[in-house]
Amino acid sequence: MTSKLVFSTLRHHLRRQPFSTAAAVAESQYHEDSAGITMKGVKISGRPLYLDVQATSPVDPRVLDAMLPFYLSRYGNPHSRTHFYGWESDNAVEHSRAQVASLIRASPKEIVFTSGATESNNISIKGVMHFYKDKKRHVITTQTEHKCVLDSCRYLQQEGFDVTYLPVESDGLVDLEKLRAAIRPDTGLVSVMAVNNEIGVVQPLEEIGKICKEFNVPFHTDAAQALGKIPIDVEKWNVSLMSLSGHKVYGPKGVGALYMRRRPRIRVEPQMNGGGQERGIRSGTVPTPLVVGMGAACEVSMKEMEYDEKRISALQERLLNGIREKLDGVVVNGSMERRYAGNLNLSFAYVEGESLLMGLKEVAVSSGSACTSASLEPSYVLRALGVEEDMAHTSIRFGIGRFTTEAEIDRAIELTVHQVEKLREMSPLYEMVKEGIDISKIQWSQH
């Protein structure tokens, strides 16, 4: 009863008064009334539909329930070895480690907790190459990797390492023969993303793993978008290192994990020095509530993956069919056969992409990775697929998740169709196409 009274009073206080100057500034930029919501100069009728699950997923309420005790009463440092609070936190961390390991069919001893997939990718790529730098000077990756993988590779290039950026086919998949041909005696790592964050294609990881095993080259995969979405088996895939993220699997932000194979053992040079936590690979106090949240998210995903997959596939089909029934010139980017159903990346011909996004303020969608969404350049992932620049500019990524409803899909169809039709009415190119003119054969004059 006392705790309820405390929380009620606290909630009432928080509604009336922001914590800090920063919170006050944020509050002043946000205004909600009976007419709608205004933020950053944009007014909408209410909170938008959320279809951007690849950027981040909402925390599952069951995950939050698991985390709360470790904020309120079980707040011990898991590295405190002399008292009960430390012991119970340590037990919770190890239990979470086992939950994460179970989802990818690994040993708990092979799981290292990090701050997220970006840190795990950095440890994997820089850490492996720095450890084996005397004999291994070459890395192979693809042109469609997440920016943190590409930037880590560029960092290694500045240090004198060689990097091969493999092209992908028009469906977004790696050509296995090109991968095989790129491997050299001094190749120290192959890094290929499991599920692409922008277009959702699932790479042939088992086949890639077999090639790496044949040449005895360590294989790293960024599986942030795959965890809890598709079945993962580190043994089947012959993965040496795997990067994982908490907030892409209905867990909290700020926590991730790195799988590191023990047999045959893979070694890395730590990227951060400190107290030697996580076997010295990732020093720093392990954040117990976040780790517990990630573990709980993995356990929920393990139980519900099959159900989620069926439901999300049906919603994706409903969304795609609903749009295509009412619009022509709609192109799916990436393979439809080897694809995670919750990621649907569409290009709309004869529509200016930024205008489409601005017109879809009642639907939270994006034009690509959240990490590069500030750029006005067309997606480098779509350009790597050979998508023409004008079509790459018109792409929208629809992210469907565990909590997406049919009503939200239907509303998204309605709003998208309305906005595309509105923009095409203003497009002279679309008018020409409707009149039967082949605009690809027009010789445009330059002034």
Side-chain angles (χ1 to χ4, degrees):
M1 182 67 191
T2 308
S3 63
K4 284 185 179 177
L5 185 62
V6 169
F7 282 123
S8 175
T9 307
L10 183 62
R11 197 182 299 117
H12 179 70
H13 176 75
L14 290 175
R15 280 195 190 124
R16 296 178 58 185
Q17 190 173 338
F19 269 129
S20 63
T21 307
V25 170
E27 196 175 74
S28 69
Q29 295 172 348
Y30 173 91
H31 177 69
E32 183 173 357
D33 56 28
S34 58
I37 300 172
T38 303
M39 181 177 274
K40 294 186 179 291
V42 176
K43 187 162 188 175
I44 50 179
S45 59
R47 289 188 70 81
L49 312 177
Y50 189 74
L51 292 177
D52 199 18
V53 178
Q54 277 70 46
T56 193
S57 59
V59 173
D60 191 298
R62 292 164 288 187
V63 170
L64 185 60
D65 283 345
M67 292 171 64
L68 280 175
F70 294 92
Y71 280 118
L72 301 173
S73 57
R74 304 178 189 175
Y75 41 74
N77 186 321
H79 313 297
S80 296
R81 306 295 187 196
T82 57
H83 53 70
F84 178 82
Y85 286 86
W87 302 334
E88 69 176 352
S89 287
D90 182 50
N91 284 343
V93 167
E94 294 311 312
H95 178 63
S96 302
R97 202 185 303 278
Q99 288 172 311
V100 175
S102 184
L103 186 55
I104 63 171
R105 302 181 70 84
S107 161
K109 294 177 181 177
E110 296 175 308
I111 302 298
V112 173
F113 285 115
T114 66
S115 64
T118 291
E119 184 181 0
S120 297
N121 285 335
N122 274 262
I123 293 171
S124 298
I125 295 165
K126 296 177 192 172
V128 165
M129 296 311 294
H130 286 163
F131 191 89
Y132 297 104
K133 62 186 176 186
D134 292 338
K135 294 181 180 178
K136 304 294 183 180
R137 306 291 300 177
H138 178 230
V139 179
I140 299 172
T141 189
T142 76
Q143 295 175 1
T144 56
E145 295 298 304
H146 191 279
K147 194 171 185 297
C148 66
V149 168
L150 297 176
D151 281 0
S152 294
C153 288
R154 290 189 190 106
Y155 181 88
L156 289 176
Q157 283 181 291
Q158 291 171 357
E159 294 186 327
F161 291 88
D162 289 338
V163 179
T164 297
Y165 298 95
L166 290 174
V168 293
E169 302 300 297
S170 60
D171 59 3
L173 298 173
V174 170
D175 183 324
L176 296 174
E177 290 311 309
K178 287 180 181 174
L179 169 62
R180 181 185 292 276
I183 295 175
R184 307 183 334 202
D186 66 339
T187 301
L189 188 69
V190 170
S191 180
V192 180
M193 183 187 282
V195 175
N196 189 274
N197 55 309
E198 288 197 32
I199 55 175
V201 298
V202 182
Q203 295 291 351
L205 295 164
E206 197 171 336
E207 292 84 350
I208 293 170
K210 284 176 182 173
I211 292 171
C212 291
K213 189 173 186 177
E214 180 186 334
F215 288 91
N216 197 28
V217 175
F219 174 29
H220 164 253
T221 185
D222 175 357
Q225 298 286 348
L227 186 69
K229 315 283 175 50
I230 64 171
I232 296 176
D233 187 329
V234 292
E235 290 300 327
K236 250 188 189 176
W237 291 2
N238 190 47
V239 174
S240 303
L241 302 120
M242 180 184 288
S243 302
L244 307 169
S245 173
H247 75 105
K248 304 294 171 72
V249 67
Y250 308 97
K253 296 172 182 64
V255 65
L258 173 62
Y259 161 78
M260 291 183 61
R261 181 177 287 277
R262 296 183 81 215
R263 293 188 181 89
R265 188 181 182 190
I266 187 73
R267 305 288 296 275
V268 298
E269 181 183 280
Q271 299 301 294
M272 192 155 56
N273 300 313
Q277 292 91 341
E278 296 299 281
R279 305 202 311 273
I281 292 159
R282 204 285 183 181
S283 291
T285 302
V286 173
T288 309
L290 300 183
V291 163
V292 165
M294 184 171 182
C298 287
E299 186 169 291
V300 171
S301 291
M302 195 171 191
K303 292 174 182 173
E304 301 197 355
M305 192 189 305
E306 190 177 338
Y307 172 79
D308 282 350
E309 196 274 331
K310 286 178 183 173
R311 188 172 169 279
I312 289 169
S313 293
L315 291 175
Q316 184 228 52
E317 192 176 331
R318 187 185 187 101
L319 176 62
L320 182 58
N321 291 343
I323 290 174
R324 278 186 161 167
E325 280 170 11
K326 297 173 182 175
L327 294 174
D328 57 3
V330 178
V331 177
V332 178
N333 294 307
S335 170
M336 277 301 289
E337 290 72 37
R338 292 190 59 91
R339 181 186 209 94
Y340 167 60
N343 183 323
L344 185 62
N345 190 304
L346 302 178
S347 286
F348 299 86
Y350 320 113
V351 169
E352 204 282 308
E354 291 302 313
S355 300
L356 180 55
L357 270 181
M358 289 300 292
L360 284 175
K361 283 304 173 190
E362 289 184 47
V363 187
V365 289
S366 73
S367 57
S369 168
C371 303
T372 55
S373 63
S375 170
L376 294 177
E377 291 297 311
S379 159
Y380 67 86
V381 172
L382 296 185
R383 297 296 280 139
L385 268 64
V387 176
E388 293 296 327
E389 188 165 335
D390 57 341
M391 287 296 275
H393 265 301
T394 69
S395 71
I396 297 288
R397 182 185 65 185
F398 295 90
I400 304 165
R402 181 179 294 163
F403 302 112
T404 307
T405 65
E406 288 186 353
E408 288 175 323
I409 293 295
D410 292 342
R411 180 64 175 152
I413 293 168
E414 181 188 336
L415 292 169
T416 303
V417 169
H418 171 75
Q419 192 61 27
V420 170
E421 287 177 339
K422 180 180 170 184
L423 292 171
R424 283 179 175 174
E425 281 175 14
M426 298 183 281
S427 170
L429 290 179
Y430 188 61
E431 282 298 317
M432 294 165 74
V433 169
K434 283 205 298 184
E435 289 169 10
I437 300 169
D438 187 349
I439 60 174
S440 65
K441 294 181 179 175
I442 295 175
Q443 296 293 319
W444 301 99
S445 61
Q446 295 184 354
H447 298 285

